Amino acid sequence: FVLTFGQSDKNYFRSDSMEWGSYLNEVVDRAGIYGPLSIWSMAYKTGQWNGPTAGLATLFGPTAESVEAALRGDADRLLPVAAVL
């Protein structure tokens, strides 16, 4: 629990069970090869997960994301102590 900073799930490292294609895609994305396309891709994924306003807020930066999350009622990630509990 302490070494994983509160993430005590046995599947914490999700890359252990990834297929090669999705793993290489993550490596290339995190290396920055896609450039600005990765920002649009993450906005699209966020829109699928949390609704279209969250996807739009992603394009305006982390402050807009935080305000949108607070308005949506997802304030747990805004309070560091509450996020761990």
Side-chain angles (χ1 to χ4, degrees), residues 20-66:
W20 276 101
S22 58
Y23 181 78
L24 287 176
N25 185 37
E26 285 290 323
V27 168
V28 169
D29 182 34
R30 291 174 190 242
I33 294 175
Y34 294 144
L37 183 61
S38 64
I39 296 172
W40 289 98
S41 172
M42 196 59 195
Y44 177 73
K45 288 179 187 175
T46 303
Q48 287 182 327
W49 295 330
N50 298 322
T53 56
L56 186 62
T58 300
L59 296 175
F60 290 111
T63 304
E65 280 184 298
S66 298

